[in-house]
Amino acid sequence: MGALQIRALGPLEVVADGQSVLLGSEKMRIVLECLVLMANTVVTADFLADAIWDGSLPAHPGAQLQVYVANLRRLLEPGRPKGVPSQRLASRPGGYVLKVADDEVDLLQFRAHIVAGEQAVQAGNLAVGAEKLREGVRLFRGPIFPDLADLELLAPDLEGLRETWLDAYQDLAEIELALGRHNTLAGELQQLVSQHPYRERLWASLVVALYRCGRQADALAAVRHARKVFVAELGIDPGVRLQELEALVLRQDASLDAPATNGHRPRQRLENLPAPVTPLVGREAELKEVCSLYRSGECRLVTVTGPGGAGKTRLVLAAAARLGEHMDDGVGWVNLAPLSDVHQVPGAIATMLGLEDWAGDDPLKAASRFLRTRRLLLVLDNFEHLEDAWPMVVDLLTAAPDLRILTTSRRRLGLRAEYEFELGPLALPPIEPALPPSRLREVPAVKLLLNRGRAARPHFGVDLENAAVLTRLCHRLDGLPLAIELAAAQLRYRTEQDLLADLELSLNDLPAAFRDLPERQRTLTAAIIWSYQLLGRDEQLLLVHLGVFAGDPTVEAVASVCSGAPHVQSRIDELLSSLADQSLIRRYTDASGHQRVSMLQSIREFARDRLSQLSWAADIRLQHARYCLWLAEAAGPILWGRGQVEAFRLLQSDALDLRAALLWAAGPDGVAEVGLGLVGQLWHYWELTGDVAVEQRTAVDMVEKAADTAPEVLAPALSGAATLCWTVGRFGDAAWLHHKALEAFERAGINAGAAWTTMCLAVQAAQTEDLTTARRLAAVALQSPAASPRTRVASLVVLSRLAFFSGDVARTLELSHRCAELARSIGDRWLLGVGLVNLAEALEQAGDYDGAESLLLEAITGALELQAQGHLTGFLDSLAGVYVARHRTELAIRLLASADSYRSDRGQLLDGEERRRVDGIIAKARSEAGQVRFALAWSAGRTLSLTQAVNEVLRLSARHAGADIPYRVSRFSDADGALNPAPW
């Protein structure tokens, strides 16, 4: 077949074998346009005859139609030999078919461009999607299929084609707005709305485009004009989106601002680098070298090595900040120093990535899944004491091709992919000949000494009189940054001449025990020892006691571990201030108002080593564990009620020490009873954090070895271990442990605990679809005279869900309302959220969307305040269902996408009824929005963290102030302040 081009989306144009074809006959043009409109399908002769003569058929229409077809064949295939059948316009039984490729007919090109554009948008490539849709809509050059315009027979086909073009244009406008192309779009949209004034999506895009162009007044005028058009000419109010836009424009809402995007699906950047406390001094050349290593595409792993105190962490922090500017997905910082076990490394990485709850999955697999498609720099600081974790580094590099890793360690990891950067001491000035002050102050070691010295003595500097002394000081300290900082802190109390004299004396007497350390490390150790030796006896003893802490303890905690040294305990505040003055610790006040103590890791390790040499070290560790148990016993019950936000934050601040105390108590030198007490008090805290992998394994090991423990201690630990197993998806173990817990509670006579455990068994029976058992156990727990308020609420939750899934709407409403009322009286935000969501779903089922939305917004607000993000996903899914029903479809899609992104990044999978429920909401949203709008909103939603998604909901929801709902739940009452909701 020869070359052919047919354009019918405007004035009809035909080009055959490079020559324009003149179709003089109107009837011949009608035949061709009908065949083009239904290209590559058989068009019957009767249909063509009806189109040509529009109901007024001649005596012999078939013969005349054959003449038109024959003429068309000659024009479309000018080089076809006589007697050869036409390949372009072929005869078929009962009719004819025009055979053309997509690139030969503009209509087919249009359809192909639209499909390609939709697929690109669904894949997240907005720029390509916009390009394809733009190419498609440009093919419409005027009135389409002009010779068919007056034919009633083809009116539906032509109107459908025009609708498809307009839908594509609306999709294109929204995509280009997402790409930040509002400047070029505003004029185009103004012309379109003038031609098609009843298109809400075009009006909405125009309002947003005008707003982003800085034309807020025009945007407001446009949205108000649109409302007048709909009310005056159609007699209806505009849709939800246009109504929302007017309010958003008036308050200049941030959601209207142009997005920052490069045309691909934007993604939330990870930025958790610690803020540098001091400037990087004297390491400009090293910083440049470390960054330059990654310029080679082959380099993916760099280890900065060097002795303790060389400034590895500070250099890497600066390098990560600079490299992060070129990483699409940001930088993730993991401090490995607090970890004591190789198996904790994957959990630390997953937690840093925001994967606090990986639902029982291997955290390394969860992290690998998360990083697989990301271009990110991962920093692993202080690797030296966890060298056996090197296979995890290899696994991550293998799983994530665009991942870059930067580590610090006292020696290299020994991997083939590794580039080592050895960080030596700071450059030192020559002793002979001495440099003049103007040049001396630019030498890196001296520059750092001057910088830190001014913090201790504001007017400290270098001149002709002290130049030689400062030179010798830097040499005596081997140019090691930490040693220089420790020495500089002493300038508050002594001259640089006295400081040098003391340094030379103490460093000359290094103990022989340190000879096995690397030479540079000996110098740093000596500097710390020297600072330690300058302390008084009580200060030294307090510093050693601080070595027992894994995190930043409160002053109260420090005093508690010094109970064996009353002379230290009585002076605790004075001694801590003295240590802070000498830069060995830092005192600060946390967000909750607690006074806390922090130390550099090198000093913490020194204190920990000294602690291990004390004959009474075990007593100090026991005091530490007992303090943690006391803290758990004090905060644990509060975590169930009104003070739970403050209790949760307090426990979060001491999380490292709570875990360290648990691991010590479970170890060979620990006290099992203390560990069991920690499990019994803290399991709910760990459950709320979602970070339970280590605690779950430890708790199960402990309870399995504690058969002879007193039942009043064992029972809460068994119940806690069971819930932790449930949290990580080990349902069989959870059921077995709950049965053991029930037996122990009954032996101990703790009836409240027995009632709680019975309720837990009811939940598990419901999950396994043993509904009869679930209903019976929930009723038993509810009717128990000893049941705590929380047990009663939880039992009602089980019964209400059973009623919900059985379709008993009235019973569901009754029970759900009771749940919410009782949960509110307790003051537990998490439990209240569960009750509110259940009630909201029942109201939604009854058609009360206002009431359902109001309750869901309250549940979400409470969960956000508590920071229990793992529960927010289910709440957002439920709210999205309400929004779909209320035709706030795009917001619903963004919420669904945000929740889905959170779960997929953490390896969490929905199943059963919940999976079917969420899939149903997504299917309704997709059907209402269409493929492109759905893909755009889904892409935007996946960039939102849960907190961002919630904030958007609260900002946009005018009804949050309270709707008139039939099942109003009362507000908190101070009269219930003394209520203890803890389950036992």
Side-chain angles (χ1 to χ4, degrees), residues 391-434:
M392 302 173 196
V393 175
V394 176
D395 289 346
L396 289 174
L397 288 172
T398 303
D402 287 326
L403 176 67
R404 303 294 183 268
I405 299 180
L406 179 57
T407 72
T408 69
S409 180
R410 296 189 182 180
R411 55 185 176 185
R412 70 190 311 272
L413 307 186
L415 305 179
R416 287 180 297 167
E418 184 180 22
Y419 285 67
E420 181 182 8
F421 182 88
E422 184 175 0
L423 184 63
L426 289 166
L428 294 166
I431 295 178
E432 294 291 341

Side-chain angles (χ1 to χ4, degrees), residues 715-731:
L718 282 165
S719 182
T723 300
L724 295 178
C725 285
W726 177 271
T727 303
V728 300
R730 294 177 56 178
F731 303 123

Side-chain angles (χ1 to χ4, degrees), residues 521-540:
Q521 190 170 356
R522 261 186 279 160
T523 306
L524 174 61
T525 304
I528 299 176
I529 290 176
W530 166 76
S531 297
Y532 175 76
Q533 289 175 343
L534 291 177
L535 302 174
R537 184 177 180 281
D538 287 352
E539 292 168 328
Q540 290 179 343

Side-chain angles (χ1 to χ4, degrees), residues 357-613:
D357 183 3
W358 39 85
D361 196 1
D362 179 354
L364 183 63
K365 292 181 180 178
S368 298
R369 276 195 303 270
F370 180 88
L371 294 169
R372 184 178 300 127
T373 60
R374 283 168 167 79
R375 180 174 170 77
L376 179 139
L377 176 67
L378 174 63
V379 184
L380 302 175
D381 190 32
N382 296 297
F383 208 103
E384 54 266 7
H385 66 300
L386 298 167
E387 290 180 338
D388 290 340
W390 65 263
M392 302 173 196
V393 175
V394 176
D395 289 346
L396 289 174
L397 288 172
T398 303
D402 287 326
L403 176 67
R404 303 294 183 268
I405 299 180
L406 179 57
T407 72
T408 69
S409 180
R410 296 189 182 180
R411 55 185 176 185
R412 70 190 311 272
L413 307 186
L415 305 179
R416 287 180 297 167
E418 184 180 22
Y419 285 67
E420 181 182 8
F421 182 88
E422 184 175 0
L423 184 63
L426 289 166
L428 294 166
I431 295 178
E432 294 291 341
L435 295 177
S438 60
R439 292 181 56 194
L440 186 61
R441 63 175 59 100
E442 296 304 317
V443 177
V446 179
K447 185 186 290 188
L448 180 62
L449 179 61
L450 292 173
N451 181 279
R452 302 298 190 262
R454 291 190 188 102
R457 192 196 303 168
H459 301 294
F460 178 65
V462 59
D463 53 33
L464 290 172
E465 293 182 6
N466 69 357
V469 173
L470 297 187
T471 298
R472 291 179 62 191
L473 263 175
C474 291
H475 276 271
R476 199 71 190 99
L477 297 167
D478 271 358
L480 290 171
L482 180 56
I484 291 173
E485 293 192 15
L486 290 170
Q490 299 304 314
L491 292 172
R492 182 180 291 112
Y493 310 107
R494 63 196 69 203
T495 67
E496 48 270 42
Q497 291 82 3
D498 291 338
L499 179 60
L500 177 61
D502 289 342
L503 269 174
E504 289 181 337
L505 286 174
S506 59
L507 291 177
N508 285 335
D509 295 325
L510 280 174
F514 295 108
R515 293 184 183 274
D516 62 326
L517 292 174
E519 184 175 349
R520 295 193 185 99
Q521 190 170 356
R522 261 186 279 160
T523 306
L524 174 61
T525 304
I528 299 176
I529 290 176
W530 166 76
S531 297
Y532 175 76
Q533 289 175 343
L534 291 177
L535 302 174
R537 184 177 180 281
D538 287 352
E539 292 168 328
Q540 290 179 343
L541 194 57
L542 176 57
L543 185 65
V544 171
H545 278 70
L546 289 173
V548 77
F549 292 101
D552 292 356
T554 61
V555 174
E556 183 180 33
V558 174
S560 73
V561 302
C562 295
S563 59
H567 52 292
V568 173
Q569 192 179 50
S570 62
R571 301 173 57 208
I572 198 73
D573 195 69
E574 171 195 345
L575 295 174
L576 286 173
S577 296
S578 178
L579 292 177
D581 288 342
Q582 299 178 71
S583 298
L584 288 167
I585 65 168
R586 183 173 68 91
R587 298 186 66 175
Y588 68 96
T589 303
D590 66 15
S592 300
H594 295 94
Q595 288 285 322
R596 291 190 178 269
V597 176
S598 70
M599 289 190 293
L600 293 171
Q601 189 58 32
S602 297
I603 299 174
R604 189 190 304 278
E605 290 175 1
F606 171 82
R608 191 175 295 156
D609 290 341
R610 287 280 169 150
L611 175 63
S612 66
Q613 298 171 23

Side-chain angles (χ1 to χ4, degrees), residues 632-633 636-637 639-640 648 651 658 662 675-692 695-696 699 703 713-727 738 741 745 753 756-757 759-760 790-791 794 828 830 981-984:
E633 291 172 341
L639 194 63
W640 298 89
F648 185 82
L651 294 173
L658 295 172
L662 176 69
L676 293 170
L678 288 168
V679 173
Q681 291 291 343
L682 293 176
W683 62 266
H684 183 47
Y685 159 69
W686 291 322
E687 176 191 24
L688 288 175
T689 68
D691 182 12
V692 303
E695 287 77 5
Q696 180 268 329
V703 297
V713 175
L714 181 60
L718 282 165
S719 182
T723 300
L724 295 178
C725 285
W726 177 271
T727 303
H738 271 311
F745 276 125
W756 170 260
T757 309
M759 181 280 303
C760 292
R790 184 181 178 89
T791 300
D828 182 336
W830 178 79
W984 54 76

Side-chain angles (χ1 to χ4, degrees), residues 930-944:
Q931 291 293 345
V932 170
R933 290 178 67 198
F934 181 89
L936 280 172
W938 188 268
S939 176
R942 287 189 67 84
T943 69
L944 298 175

